[in-house]
Amino acid sequence: MSTWQITVVKTEETGTRSKTYKATLKYEGSWQGYVDFHSQGPLFERLKPGDQVTATLWRRRIVALSKDGVEQNTTEVPGDDLQMKAALGTLVALLAAEMLVFGAVRLVRPRSHEPFTFYPYGGQILFTVLGACLVVGFLANWTGVPWWFVPPAAVVVCVAVMLCPPMRRRPPVRWPEERRKAV
């Protein structure tokens, strides 16, 4: 992370419905580029051509501009995105728990493990967990909900979906092998 003193060349506000805010910057005649802002914010509305601003760089990208103690982040500032990481971690944990239970039942009852297979319940649980975790993760990321709400919300959505009446239907009865061959 480093800071540079940069000169503002011009500022632009374009668009009618979705406005974009852009500031063109110059560094000692050797570099000229621009940065985008999410909003007018506290600094963009005060910038004028010729102003000296302090640019904060992180990994060769300008992530913030400041002038006279007023700072504003650019669109290059790295986001948290911890919501999706929490959702994927919850997904892995729930799938691991499912596989642990199904594997333990197969070890304890190798011949009669019927309800603990992919059909009828394993697939439902797998796709419910996958869908719930991804939907909750995307919604949390989109709305800006803190990441620590994602794991409990994903578990609650999984339980709610599994308990809704269409999912609780009894699986069709499987016939023994002898009857299936006779039919």
Side-chain angles (χ1 to χ4, degrees):
M1 198 166 218
S2 63
T3 57
W4 292 5
Q5 290 295 321
I6 295 181
T7 305
V8 176
V9 175
K10 68 177 179 176
T11 59
E12 299 176 67
E13 181 179 330
T14 59
T16 54
R17 280 192 169 173
S18 60
K19 297 195 178 227
T20 59
Y21 306 97
K22 183 187 292 189
T24 305
L25 307 170
K26 186 175 186 180
Y27 179 71
E28 297 179 358
S30 62
W31 174 85
Q32 184 167 343
Y34 66 91
V35 291
D36 292 319
F37 296 94
H38 292 294
S39 65
Q40 278 187 317
L43 181 66
F44 182 81
E45 58 193 15
R46 297 179 186 183
L47 291 179
K48 296 177 190 73
D51 285 350
Q52 288 288 326
V53 294
T54 303
T56 304
L57 280 80
W58 187 67
R59 294 189 178 176
R60 298 178 10 191
R61 296 180 188 260
I62 298 175
V63 295
L65 291 180
S66 62
K67 179 184 174 199
D68 300 330
V70 178
E71 184 172 337
Q72 183 174 354
N73 290 337
T74 67
T75 56
E76 294 291 328
V77 70
D80 285 338
D81 296 343
L82 294 177
Q83 296 94 341
M84 282 308 294
K85 291 176 184 171
L88 292 176
T90 305
L91 170 69
V92 168
L94 290 175
L95 290 180
E98 178 187 2
M99 296 303 126
L100 177 71
V101 169
F102 280 34
V105 168
R106 281 198 177 235
L107 283 173
V108 172
R109 299 186 326 193
R111 295 195 191 272
S112 61
H113 56 271
E114 186 57 35
F116 294 97
T117 59
F118 188 79
Y119 178 83
Y121 294 118
Q124 287 180 350
I125 294 171
L126 173 77
F127 293 120
T128 300
V129 167
L130 181 69
C133 288
L134 292 179
V135 166
V136 168
F138 281 123
L139 286 176
N141 199 7
W142 181 55
T143 58
V145 173
W147 70 269
W148 56 83
F149 285 112
V150 173
V155 170
V156 167
V157 168
C158 286
V159 169
V161 168
M162 289 304 292
L163 291 179
C164 89
M167 295 295 280
R168 287 187 4 189
R169 284 191 206 134
R170 295 182 64 107
V173 176
R174 290 188 139 181
W175 291 0
E177 284 296 320
E178 302 84 39
R179 265 186 98 174
R180 193 176 304 158
K181 288 178 185 174
V183 175

